[in-house]
């Protein structure tokens, strides 16, 4: 670690030594120059020069201490009668690093003190006989120039760092947004696959049971049930193909073929696949025949909710009949579509393992800003009611709000 630290610090130390040596060369040349009216470079002046260069070496590690030592040396030369533009070079370098490594408040304080001391030294040096008179105004500006330059460079660095930090935050935000969209898309696909598979398998199971019971005594009923099984399988394959097509792209980057999403017009076909000798399903559509069309996303949500609710009836209820009601109320942006599925019960005595049906229906309704309630019906059985908003403008999906119900809540025990 010590070796690595030494190698890491070697380059800055060498830069500091090189800068101090270069500044020292210019300062020494100006100090030894034979300028009319300037003092001679005697032993005391050389001693001050050595102290100034020693203080200059710490301009990066301790800029305030370096500015104090070099500033004291520059004032001493001024009071001692030396004249030269480059004699202030060490303190100017130190003051630059004071501003570069500090704050604006510190730079203002250091600049005020340095300007006053520089002007005072110029005035005192001018009172002595035989010494040249430095301009107090120019001497006041000497320490302010490097401080302003250091402030400008530090401000530029802070601005660059701020922009870089904003870019990093924006990149992280884009990554989080992309991850959120991926999660939402996975949840949507999972809901679609669950609705398709669960409903189709349940309907096929019911029809296969009917066919098995009537195979010997009533073959025409068995044949009709098997035909319905085949139709349900084909419909499930079509919907699964449409779902998978969203994830697949052709070689040229264009999206693959996609079948139209199911809507309320397909509810009779859906009910035919579920209904049989054991379960009778009645459909009631209270909407106006000439009413405005619904957005496709609302129709799809309503279709899937009815599909999952009927699947729950088949799997978890011993009801012989069920009803589906579709209604619309309101106009314009305040319109709402009501979807209600109710069965007469009772629930089966041996419910299956808890699943994701109710949660999926709630999420699907919440995705378009709607609500879903479910529970025991007053006259017995189970009711699922969804209220879906019908906006006047195209609907933008919102973040679904997850709702939780206790595993033993009344009316939902055994439902999925």
């Amino acid at each position: 670690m010590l070796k690595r630290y030494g190698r890491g610090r070697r380059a800055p130390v060498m830069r500091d030594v090189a800068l101090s040596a270069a500044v020292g060369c210019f300062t020494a040349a100006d100090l030894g120059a034979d300028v009319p009216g300037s003092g001679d470079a005697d032993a005391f002046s050389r001693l001050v020069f050595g102290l100034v260069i020693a203080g200059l070496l710490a301009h990066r590690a301790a800029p305030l201490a370096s500015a104090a030592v070099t500033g004291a040396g520059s004032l001493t030369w001024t009071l001692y009668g030396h004249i030269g533009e480059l004699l202030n070079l060490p303190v100017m370098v130190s003051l630059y690093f004071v501003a570069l490594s500090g704050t604006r408040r510190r730079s203002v304080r250091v600049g005020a003190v340095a300007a006053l001391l520089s002007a005072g030294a110029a005035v005192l040096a001018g009172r002595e006989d035989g010494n040249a008179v430095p301009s107090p105004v120019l001497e006041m500006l000497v320490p302010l120039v490097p401080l302003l330059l250091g402030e400008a460079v530090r401000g530029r660095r802070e601005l660059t760092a701020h922009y870089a930090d904003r870019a990093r935050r924006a990149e992280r935000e884009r990554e989080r947004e992309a991850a959120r969209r991926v999660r939402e898309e996975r949840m949507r696909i999972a809901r679609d696959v669950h609705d398709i598979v669960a409903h189709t398998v349940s309907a096929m199971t019911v029809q296969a049971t009917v066919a098995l019971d009537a195979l010997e005594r009533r073959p025409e009923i068995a044949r009709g049930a098997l035909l319905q099984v085949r139709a349900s399988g084909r419909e499930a394959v079509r919907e699964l193909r449409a779902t998978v097509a969203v994830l697949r792209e052709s070689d040229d980057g264009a999206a693959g073929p996609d079948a139209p999403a199911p809507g309320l017009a397909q509810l009779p076909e859906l009910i035919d696949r579920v209904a049989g000798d054991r379960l009778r399903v009645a459909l009631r559509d209270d909407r106006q025949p000439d009413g405005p069309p619904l957005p496709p996303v609302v129709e799809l949500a309503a279709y899937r909710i009815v599909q999952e609710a009927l699947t729950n009836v088949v799997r978890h209820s011993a009801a012989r009949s069920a009803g589906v009601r579709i209604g619309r109320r309101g106009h314009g942006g305040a319109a709402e579509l009501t979807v209600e599925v109710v069965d007469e019960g009772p629930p089966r005595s041996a419910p299956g393992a808890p699943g994701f049906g109710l949660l999926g229906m709630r999420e699907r309704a919440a995705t378009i800003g709607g609500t879903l309630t479910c529970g025991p019906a007053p006259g017995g059985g189970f009711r699922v009611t969804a209220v879906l908003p019908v906006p006047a403008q195209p609907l933008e999906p919102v973040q679904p709000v997850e709702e939780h119900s206790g595993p033993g809540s009344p009316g939902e025990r055994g439902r999925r």
Side-chain angles (χ1 to χ4, degrees):
M1 291 179 60
L2 291 176
K3 290 181 179 180
R4 287 197 298 268
Y5 178 78
R7 287 195 297 267
R9 289 287 298 167
R10 187 175 302 166
V13 169
M14 293 302 296
R15 287 199 300 267
D16 294 346
V17 172
L19 178 60
S20 300
V23 173
C25 292
F26 288 107
T27 305
D30 202 0
L31 183 64
D34 188 10
V35 179
S38 178
D40 297 332
D42 53 9
F44 178 74
S45 299
R46 295 189 181 93
L47 176 61
V48 174
F49 173 78
L51 295 176
V52 167
I53 298 303
L56 183 60
L57 288 171
H59 63 268
R60 192 186 304 272
L64 277 177
S66 177
V69 173
T70 54
S74 179
L75 294 177
T76 301
W77 282 328
T78 301
L79 295 175
Y80 200 61
H82 288 286
I83 299 176
E85 291 79 4
L86 299 180
L87 296 181
N88 293 320
L89 189 58
V91 67
M92 294 177 71
V93 172
S94 298
L95 290 175
Y96 169 80
F97 280 94
V98 167
L100 188 65
S101 60
T103 61
R104 183 170 300 175
R105 179 177 298 180
R106 189 177 78 171
S107 299
V108 171
R109 292 176 178 176
V110 171
V113 173
L116 291 176
L117 291 177
S118 182
V123 172
L124 292 177
R127 291 180 178 178
E128 299 181 7
D129 295 335
N131 288 349
V133 182
S135 173
V137 177
L138 294 179
E139 293 297 322
M140 288 182 66
L141 296 178
V142 168
L144 299 181
V145 172
L147 287 172
L148 292 175
L149 181 60
E151 279 293 317
V153 174
R154 183 174 58 82
R156 180 66 178 176
R157 290 181 179 179
E158 291 179 352
L159 188 61
T160 303
H162 173 69
Y163 286 152
D165 184 62
R166 284 183 56 183
R168 287 192 296 269
R169 289 200 303 268
E171 182 65 24
R172 289 194 297 267
E173 188 64 27
R174 284 193 295 269
E175 292 176 356
R176 285 195 293 266
E177 178 66 17
R180 184 186 66 82
R181 290 180 178 273
V182 169
R183 287 194 301 270
E184 289 182 358
E185 186 66 13
R186 290 176 60 184
M187 291 177 60
R188 184 191 67 80
I189 295 172
R191 286 196 299 267
D192 287 345
V193 173
H194 173 271
D195 293 344
I196 296 170
V197 174
H199 164 75
T200 305
V201 171
S202 298
M204 293 173 69
T205 301
V206 171
Q207 298 296 338
T209 302
V210 172
L212 185 62
D213 294 340
L215 183 60
E216 296 181 356
R217 292 177 298 175
R218 304 179 65 182
E220 67 280 359
I221 295 179
R223 176 179 175 82
L226 291 177
L227 291 174
Q228 189 62 47
V229 169
R230 184 178 66 179
S232 298
R234 289 177 176 176
E235 178 66 17
V237 171
R238 185 191 68 80
E239 293 192 21
L240 285 174
R241 185 176 299 165
T243 302
V244 174
V246 178
L247 308 177
R248 184 175 296 166
E249 292 184 353
S250 58
D251 294 337
D252 57 357
D258 192 5
L264 297 181
Q266 284 74 39
L267 283 183
E269 301 176 8
L270 173 66
I271 292 175
D272 289 341
R273 292 198 300 270
V274 175
D277 290 343
R278 190 186 71 83
L279 179 65
R280 301 293 181 182
V281 181
L283 174 62
R284 175 182 171 185
D285 193 343
D286 295 336
R287 295 178 298 160
Q288 296 293 333
D290 56 349
L294 294 171
V297 66
V298 176
E299 289 213 17
L300 177 61
Y303 179 90
R304 294 302 187 195
I305 289 173
V306 173
Q307 184 183 51
E308 179 59 32
L310 291 178
T311 301
N312 282 341
V313 173
V314 172
R315 300 180 65 182
H316 305 293
S317 175
R320 300 289 297 176
S321 63
V324 177
R325 187 181 70 85
I326 307 296
R328 179 171 180 168
R329 61 183 180 183
H331 301 282
E336 292 179 340
L337 180 72
T338 302
V339 179
E340 184 179 76
V341 180
V342 59
D343 66 84
E344 62 180 2
R348 291 186 179 179
S349 58
F356 303 97
L358 293 178
L359 178 60
M361 287 190 289
R362 285 194 178 99
E363 289 180 348
R364 189 176 292 280
T367 299
I368 59 174
T371 59
L372 184 138
T373 58
C374 53
F382 197 83
R383 174 182 284 115
V384 175
T385 304
V387 179
L388 309 177
V390 183
Q393 300 296 329
L395 217 158
E396 291 290 339
V398 298
Q399 180 71 20
V401 179
E402 184 175 352
E403 301 180 20
H404 298 279
S405 299
S409 58
E412 294 192 15
R413 187 179 297 108
R415 296 279 175 163
R416 294 197 287 174

